[in-house]
Amino acid sequence: MNLSLYTLAVVWGVAAGFVTRIRMLESDYRQYPTYPHGHVIHLALGLIAAALGAVAVPALMQKDYTAITFLTVAAQQFRDVRNMERQMLTNLDELELVPRGKNYIEGIAMVFEGRNYIVIFAAFLTSLSVVIFHHWWVGALVGLAILFLSGFLMSGKVIHDIAEVEVAPLRIEGASLYVQDIYLMNIGLEDNRKRILENGIGILVTPRRASGRVTIGNIGQRQAILHDVSTILGVYRDTGEPALTPLAKRDLKDGRLGILLLPQEKDVERAVEIVKNVPVLESAIRKPSKMPKELRKRWEST
């Protein structure tokens, strides 16, 4: 009976973990992982992770504690996968007209490593519930619950949660380019000035509070905004044209962010929506609330 029970637990654990990985795997506007080869790699890793989590329960029940040590080997393998993802995306980023940036790449690599651990956890809990309650349908319910919760684990904050995003006029004074009153850069050639005013879109990002001011000031976060817009709407530039480069610069007085976009498709409303929905990078998040109370009050009042 124990053999059949453990077999049932492993089967349901592997199934729950693998389906959870499928649920968390998607190709979006960033086109990563690519279809189908990227999917095959990550689904294979998900299946291995699910098997590790499901088999761990029978090993514990049989007091075979040495068998659990293979989980440490799996953790090392998943860290190697993260390094592999980072290296590959860094190499590809060199060929982008508007690169992702190191912070964005590190975030993507971290997500794929973390999701394998979630798969192990899902398979382990499902397998454990089958063994404890001696019914496969309990495991099925636990698996469905984890599958539902995995959707929340895929979500995070976006720019609109921490800042106001609006269209702002582009203007040129002499050779200087401004988004509203924020200076961006100096443009020498008259032809480049004309093309920027014709094809460019000005965006103003105003932080809601002090912590948001620090986040949007992060260079990696700014590059993520420029990359996402250029990925979806295209970019009006080619190699060898440094003046036609999307750019984001801060107002040093109040922390507002002025953005110059040069989309191939000049759709102002869509550009604003894209900027609003750019994910906030984990490496750009700061938490002034962790400061001592007196310092925090002084910080929030600025």
Side-chain angles (χ1 to χ4, degrees):
M1 179 177 177
N2 284 338
L3 180 61
S4 62
L5 179 64
Y6 290 154
T7 302
L8 201 62
V10 170
V11 169
W12 277 98
V14 171
F18 188 61
V19 173
T20 299
R21 188 65 187 96
I22 294 174
R23 170 72 177 81
M24 293 188 294
L25 186 69
E26 60 179 21
S27 287
D28 55 14
Y29 60 88
R30 292 167 292 185
Q31 282 301 295
Y32 189 81
T34 52
Y35 179 85
H37 298 94
H39 281 178
V40 171
I41 293 171
H42 289 288
L43 288 176
L45 289 171
L47 183 61
I48 294 171
L52 290 173
V55 171
V57 173
L60 285 172
M61 292 299 181
Q62 294 293 326
K63 297 183 180 180
D64 186 8
Y65 300 116
T66 56
I68 306 302
T69 58
F70 65 79
L71 290 176
T72 61
V73 178
Q76 180 59 48
Q77 293 299 317
F78 292 144
R79 281 194 292 271
D80 291 341
V81 169
R82 174 177 174 178
N83 293 333
M84 178 191 69
E85 301 291 346
R86 182 194 299 117
Q87 185 61 46
M88 183 180 68
L89 289 173
T90 300
N91 293 338
L92 294 176
D93 213 39
E94 297 175 358
L95 304 177
E96 295 278 358
L97 287 174
V98 181
R100 291 181 177 90
K102 292 182 179 179
N103 289 32
Y104 209 163
I105 289 174
E106 186 62 35
I108 293 173
M110 187 186 303
V111 164
F112 278 108
E113 180 188 7
R115 287 179 179 177
N116 283 320
Y117 297 138
I118 294 172
V119 170
I120 292 178
F121 184 67
F124 181 85
L125 285 184
T126 302
S127 181
L128 182 63
S129 63
V130 173
V131 172
I132 290 176
F133 295 100
H134 293 250
H135 289 291
W136 65 267
W137 55 266
V138 178
L141 290 176
V142 172
L144 287 174
I146 296 174
L147 187 64
F148 177 75
L149 291 175
S150 66
F152 292 99
L153 296 174
M154 293 174 61
S155 61
K157 284 189 175 182
V158 294
I159 292 297
H160 184 60
D161 294 327
I162 64 172
E164 297 286 346
V165 181
E166 59 185 335
V167 180
L170 290 173
R171 60 186 178 89
I172 293 179
E173 292 185 3
S176 299
L177 175 65
Y178 293 84
V179 172
Q180 198 158 300
D181 59 336
I182 301 176
Y183 171 78
L184 293 184
M185 62 178 173
N186 188 280
I187 305 173
L189 297 178
E190 181 63 32
D191 180 58
N192 286 336
R193 298 176 202 166
K194 182 178 179 182
R195 286 198 286 177
I196 287 174
L197 291 178
E198 287 180 356
N199 300 282
I201 299 174
I203 300 290
L204 187 66
V205 181
T206 306
R208 301 181 191 274
R209 53 185 66 88
S211 57
R213 186 189 313 167
V214 178
T215 298
I216 65 172
N218 183 277
I219 295 176
Q221 185 65 64
R222 299 189 223 175
Q223 190 61 37
I225 294 173
L226 300 177
H227 174 78
D228 278 7
V229 176
S230 300
T231 299
I232 298 173
L233 296 182
V235 57
Y236 184 82
R237 69 164 301 203
D238 204 348
T239 56
E241 294 182 305
L244 299 178
T245 303
L247 186 66
K249 295 193 74 173
R250 294 176 63 210
D251 186 321
L252 299 180
K253 295 179 180 179
D254 55 19
R256 292 175 303 151
L257 189 66
I259 302 175
L260 167 66
L261 301 175
L262 291 165
Q264 192 73 47
E265 178 186 348
K266 190 174 180 180
D267 188 332
V268 177
E269 293 183 1
R270 194 177 176 198
V272 171
E273 287 302 313
I274 294 169
V275 174
K276 286 182 178 180
N277 289 283
V278 171
V280 175
L281 304 182
E282 290 186 23
S283 59
I285 296 174
R286 299 294 182 270
K287 295 183 177 180
S289 59
K290 300 298 182 182
M291 298 168 59
K293 291 183 179 179
E294 293 182 0
L295 291 175
R296 187 167 70 248
K297 288 180 181 178
R298 191 182 309 169
W299 172 267
E300 292 176 345
S301 64
T302 59

mmCIF file of all heavy atoms in Angstrom, residues 56-82:
data_model
loop_
_atom_site.group_PDB
_atom_site.id
_atom_site.type_symbol
_atom_site.label_atom_id
_atom_site.label_comp_id
_atom_site.label_asym_id
_atom_site.label_seq_id
_atom_site.Cartn_x
_atom_site.Cartn_y
_atom_site.Cartn_z
ATOM 1 N N ALA A 56 11.099 14.033 -3.095
ATOM 2 C CA ALA A 56 11.638 14.356 -1.767
ATOM 3 C C ALA A 56 10.726 13.843 -0.646
ATOM 4 O O ALA A 56 11.209 13.456 0.426
ATOM 5 C CB ALA A 56 11.829 15.862 -1.641
ATOM 6 N N VAL A 57 9.411 13.837 -0.870
ATOM 7 C CA VAL A 57 8.474 13.419 0.187
ATOM 8 C C VAL A 57 8.621 11.937 0.530
ATOM 9 O O VAL A 57 8.799 11.577 1.703
ATOM 10 C CB VAL A 57 7.025 13.762 -0.212
ATOM 11 C CG1 VAL A 57 6.041 13.184 0.803
ATOM 12 C CG2 VAL A 57 6.853 15.264 -0.312
ATOM 13 N N PRO A 58 8.552 10.997 -0.440
ATOM 14 C CA PRO A 58 8.780 9.590 -0.101
ATOM 15 C C PRO A 58 10.140 9.345 0.535
ATOM 16 O O PRO A 58 10.269 8.500 1.432
ATOM 17 C CB PRO A 58 8.669 8.878 -1.457
ATOM 18 C CG PRO A 58 7.797 9.768 -2.274
ATOM 19 C CD PRO A 58 8.158 11.153 -1.856
ATOM 20 N N ALA A 59 11.163 10.097 0.092
ATOM 21 C CA ALA A 59 12.492 9.928 0.684
ATOM 22 C C ALA A 59 12.484 10.303 2.159
ATOM 23 O O ALA A 59 13.083 9.606 2.994
ATOM 24 C CB ALA A 59 13.509 10.776 -0.080
ATOM 25 N N LEU A 60 11.789 11.375 2.494
ATOM 26 C CA LEU A 60 11.688 11.776 3.903
ATOM 27 C C LEU A 60 10.882 10.770 4.715
ATOM 28 O O LEU A 60 11.237 10.453 5.863
ATOM 29 C CB LEU A 60 11.042 13.166 3.994
ATOM 30 C CG LEU A 60 11.914 14.368 3.610
ATOM 31 C CD1 LEU A 60 11.074 15.641 3.560
ATOM 32 C CD2 LEU A 60 13.068 14.526 4.583
ATOM 33 N N MET A 61 9.790 10.286 4.144
ATOM 34 C CA MET A 61 8.941 9.330 4.857
ATOM 35 C C MET A 61 9.678 8.017 5.141
ATOM 36 O O MET A 61 9.438 7.358 6.152
ATOM 37 C CB MET A 61 7.671 9.056 4.039
ATOM 38 C CG MET A 61 6.745 10.260 3.948
ATOM 39 S SD MET A 61 6.157 10.791 5.567
ATOM 40 C CE MET A 61 5.090 12.156 5.104
ATOM 41 N N GLN A 62 10.573 7.639 4.252
ATOM 42 C CA GLN A 62 11.358 6.416 4.426
ATOM 43 C C GLN A 62 12.636 6.675 5.231
ATOM 44 O O GLN A 62 13.470 5.780 5.376
ATOM 45 C CB GLN A 62 11.724 5.836 3.053
ATOM 46 C CG GLN A 62 10.540 5.353 2.248
ATOM 47 C CD GLN A 62 9.872 4.148 2.880
ATOM 48 O OE1 GLN A 62 10.527 3.303 3.482
ATOM 49 N NE2 GLN A 62 8.546 4.070 2.773
ATOM 50 N N LYS A 63 12.760 7.923 5.728
ATOM 51 C CA LYS A 63 13.919 8.345 6.528
ATOM 52 C C LYS A 63 15.233 8.168 5.769
ATOM 53 O O LYS A 63 16.286 7.895 6.357
ATOM 54 C CB LYS A 63 13.966 7.572 7.848
ATOM 55 C CG LYS A 63 12.763 7.830 8.742
ATOM 56 C CD LYS A 63 12.872 7.108 10.064
ATOM 57 C CE LYS A 63 11.643 7.401 10.935
ATOM 58 N NZ LYS A 63 11.710 6.716 12.257
ATOM 59 N N ASP A 64 15.143 8.348 4.466
ATOM 60 C CA ASP A 64 16.335 8.296 3.629
ATOM 61 C C ASP A 64 16.850 9.734 3.472
ATOM 62 O O ASP A 64 16.738 10.344 2.411
ATOM 63 C CB ASP A 64 15.996 7.676 2.269
ATOM 64 C CG ASP A 64 17.233 7.471 1.406
ATOM 65 O OD1 ASP A 64 18.347 7.665 1.924
ATOM 66 O OD2 ASP A 64 17.066 7.127 0.224
ATOM 67 N N TYR A 65 17.414 10.264 4.563
ATOM 68 C CA TYR A 65 17.779 11.677 4.579
ATOM 69 C C TYR A 65 18.941 11.998 3.643
ATOM 70 O O TYR A 65 19.083 13.128 3.189
ATOM 71 C CB TYR A 65 18.128 12.105 6.000
ATOM 72 C CG TYR A 65 16.986 11.916 6.973
ATOM 73 C CD1 TYR A 65 17.086 11.026 8.039
ATOM 74 C CD2 TYR A 65 15.794 12.609 6.813
ATOM 75 C CE1 TYR A 65 16.025 10.845 8.918
ATOM 76 C CE2 TYR A 65 14.731 12.437 7.689
ATOM 77 C CZ TYR A 65 14.858 11.549 8.734
ATOM 78 O OH TYR A 65 13.808 11.365 9.594
ATOM 79 N N THR A 66 19.766 11.012 3.365
ATOM 80 C CA THR A 66 20.878 11.273 2.443
ATOM 81 C C THR A 66 20.382 11.563 1.029
ATOM 82 O O THR A 66 21.038 12.264 0.260
ATOM 83 C CB THR A 66 21.828 10.070 2.400
ATOM 84 O OG1 THR A 66 21.086 8.893 2.033
ATOM 85 C CG2 THR A 66 22.481 9.843 3.754
ATOM 86 N N ALA A 67 19.186 11.034 0.691
ATOM 87 C CA ALA A 67 18.643 11.275 -0.643
ATOM 88 C C ALA A 67 18.241 12.735 -0.827
ATOM 89 O O ALA A 67 18.153 13.223 -1.960
ATOM 90 C CB ALA A 67 17.439 10.374 -0.888
ATOM 91 N N ILE A 68 18.016 13.439 0.283
ATOM 92 C CA ILE A 68 17.599 14.837 0.185
ATOM 93 C C ILE A 68 18.761 15.730 -0.240
ATOM 94 O O ILE A 68 18.557 16.846 -0.726
ATOM 95 C CB ILE A 68 17.024 15.321 1.538
ATOM 96 C CG1 ILE A 68 15.915 14.365 1.994
ATOM 97 C CG2 ILE A 68 16.446 16.719 1.435
ATOM 98 C CD1 ILE A 68 14.780 14.237 1.007
ATOM 99 N N THR A 69 19.981 15.242 -0.067
ATOM 100 C CA THR A 69 21.140 16.082 -0.414
ATOM 101 C C THR A 69 21.189 16.418 -1.895
ATOM 102 O O THR A 69 21.862 17.374 -2.283
ATOM 103 C CB THR A 69 22.438 15.365 -0.012
ATOM 104 O OG1 THR A 69 22.510 14.095 -0.678
ATOM 105 C CG2 THR A 69 22.500 15.145 1.495
ATOM 106 N N PHE A 70 20.487 15.628 -2.725
ATOM 107 C CA PHE A 70 20.515 15.946 -4.158
ATOM 108 C C PHE A 70 19.797 17.266 -4.445
ATOM 109 O O PHE A 70 19.966 17.854 -5.517
ATOM 110 C CB PHE A 70 19.927 14.815 -5.003
ATOM 111 C CG PHE A 70 18.463 14.556 -4.771
ATOM 112 C CD1 PHE A 70 17.493 15.362 -5.331
ATOM 113 C CD2 PHE A 70 18.050 13.470 -3.999
ATOM 114 C CE1 PHE A 70 16.153 15.112 -5.128
ATOM 115 C CE2 PHE A 70 16.710 13.216 -3.795
ATOM 116 C CZ PHE A 70 15.753 14.045 -4.352
ATOM 117 N N LEU A 71 18.987 17.757 -3.496
ATOM 118 C CA LEU A 71 18.344 19.057 -3.686
ATOM 119 C C LEU A 71 19.381 20.178 -3.726
ATOM 120 O O LEU A 71 19.201 21.174 -4.419
ATOM 121 C CB LEU A 71 17.325 19.320 -2.568
ATOM 122 C CG LEU A 71 16.059 18.448 -2.603
ATOM 123 C CD1 LEU A 71 15.192 18.736 -1.390
ATOM 124 C CD2 LEU A 71 15.264 18.700 -3.886
ATOM 125 N N THR A 72 20.451 20.019 -2.960
ATOM 126 C CA THR A 72 21.514 21.031 -2.994
ATOM 127 C C THR A 72 22.212 21.036 -4.348
ATOM 128 O O THR A 72 22.606 22.090 -4.851
ATOM 129 C CB THR A 72 22.535 20.771 -1.878
ATOM 130 O OG1 THR A 72 23.128 19.476 -2.073
ATOM 131 C CG2 THR A 72 21.870 20.815 -0.512
ATOM 132 N N VAL A 73 22.348 19.847 -4.928
ATOM 133 C CA VAL A 73 22.931 19.758 -6.280
ATOM 134 C C VAL A 73 22.010 20.445 -7.284
ATOM 135 O O VAL A 73 22.469 21.159 -8.185
ATOM 136 C CB VAL A 73 23.163 18.289 -6.675
ATOM 137 C CG1 VAL A 73 23.719 18.193 -8.090
ATOM 138 C CG2 VAL A 73 24.095 17.612 -5.676
ATOM 139 N N ALA A 74 20.697 20.240 -7.123
ATOM 140 C CA ALA A 74 19.729 20.879 -8.021
ATOM 141 C C ALA A 74 19.799 22.395 -7.906
ATOM 142 O O ALA A 74 19.727 23.115 -8.916
ATOM 143 C CB ALA A 74 18.326 20.386 -7.695
ATOM 144 N N ALA A 75 19.935 22.891 -6.668
ATOM 145 C CA ALA A 75 20.026 24.343 -6.467
ATOM 146 C C ALA A 75 21.233 24.912 -7.201
ATOM 147 O O ALA A 75 21.160 25.991 -7.810
ATOM 148 C CB ALA A 75 20.102 24.660 -4.974
ATOM 149 N N GLN A 76 22.358 24.194 -7.155
ATOM 150 C CA GLN A 76 23.550 24.637 -7.866
ATOM 151 C C GLN A 76 23.317 24.650 -9.375
ATOM 152 O O GLN A 76 23.752 25.570 -10.076
ATOM 153 C CB GLN A 76 24.727 23.726 -7.524
ATOM 154 C CG GLN A 76 26.036 24.106 -8.213
ATOM 155 C CD GLN A 76 26.481 25.512 -7.865
ATOM 156 O OE1 GLN A 76 26.499 25.887 -6.707
ATOM 157 N NE2 GLN A 76 26.837 26.289 -8.875
ATOM 158 N N GLN A 77 22.607 23.632 -9.871
ATOM 159 C CA GLN A 77 22.314 23.576 -11.305
ATOM 160 C C GLN A 77 21.440 24.742 -11.736
ATOM 161 O O GLN A 77 21.650 25.331 -12.800
ATOM 162 C CB GLN A 77 21.630 22.246 -11.651
ATOM 163 C CG GLN A 77 22.516 21.032 -11.496
ATOM 164 C CD GLN A 77 23.731 21.089 -12.408
ATOM 165 O OE1 GLN A 77 23.639 21.459 -13.568
ATOM 166 N NE2 GLN A 77 24.885 20.714 -11.870
ATOM 167 N N PHE A 78 20.454 25.105 -10.907
ATOM 168 C CA PHE A 78 19.577 26.217 -11.256
ATOM 169 C C PHE A 78 20.332 27.544 -11.211
ATOM 170 O O PHE A 78 20.032 28.458 -11.982
ATOM 171 C CB PHE A 78 18.366 26.249 -10.319
ATOM 172 C CG PHE A 78 17.440 25.074 -10.509
ATOM 173 C CD1 PHE A 78 16.797 24.498 -9.426
ATOM 174 C CD2 PHE A 78 17.210 24.548 -11.766
ATOM 175 C CE1 PHE A 78 15.950 23.414 -9.596
ATOM 176 C CE2 PHE A 78 16.363 23.459 -11.956
ATOM 177 C CZ PHE A 78 15.741 22.890 -10.861
ATOM 178 N N ARG A 79 21.295 27.661 -10.311
ATOM 179 C CA ARG A 79 22.133 28.865 -10.309
ATOM 180 C C ARG A 79 22.966 28.931 -11.587
ATOM 181 O O ARG A 79 23.188 30.016 -12.143
ATOM 182 C CB ARG A 79 23.034 28.876 -9.075
ATOM 183 C CG ARG A 79 22.325 29.324 -7.811
ATOM 184 C CD ARG A 79 23.323 29.638 -6.700
ATOM 185 N NE ARG A 79 24.008 28.443 -6.229
ATOM 186 C CZ ARG A 79 23.564 27.668 -5.257
ATOM 187 N NH1 ARG A 79 22.424 27.967 -4.654
ATOM 188 N NH2 ARG A 79 24.241 26.610 -4.866
ATOM 189 N N ASP A 80 23.423 27.782 -12.049
ATOM 190 C CA ASP A 80 24.157 27.755 -13.312
ATOM 191 C C ASP A 80 23.265 28.159 -14.480
ATOM 192 O O ASP A 80 23.718 28.815 -15.423
ATOM 193 C CB ASP A 80 24.728 26.354 -13.558
ATOM 194 C CG ASP A 80 25.847 25.998 -12.585
ATOM 195 O OD1 ASP A 80 26.409 26.928 -11.984
ATOM 196 O OD2 ASP A 80 26.126 24.795 -12.422
ATOM 197 N N VAL A 81 21.992 27.743 -14.415
ATOM 198 C CA VAL A 81 21.040 28.158 -15.450
ATOM 199 C C VAL A 81 20.884 29.669 -15.450
ATOM 200 O O VAL A 81 20.843 30.314 -16.509
ATOM 201 C CB VAL A 81 19.675 27.470 -15.228
ATOM 202 C CG1 VAL A 81 18.612 28.082 -16.126
ATOM 203 C CG2 VAL A 81 19.790 25.981 -15.494
ATOM 204 N N ARG A 82 20.816 30.251 -14.264
ATOM 205 C CA ARG A 82 20.704 31.711 -14.162
ATOM 206 C C ARG A 82 21.910 32.392 -14.803
ATOM 207 O O ARG A 82 21.772 33.378 -15.537
ATOM 208 C CB ARG A 82 20.587 32.105 -12.693
ATOM 209 C CG ARG A 82 20.604 33.609 -12.447
ATOM 210 C CD ARG A 82 20.420 33.894 -10.966
ATOM 211 N NE ARG A 82 20.578 35.297 -10.666
ATOM 212 C CZ ARG A 82 20.431 35.805 -9.451
ATOM 213 N NH1 ARG A 82 20.108 35.019 -8.445
ATOM 214 N NH2 ARG A 82 20.595 37.095 -9.245
#
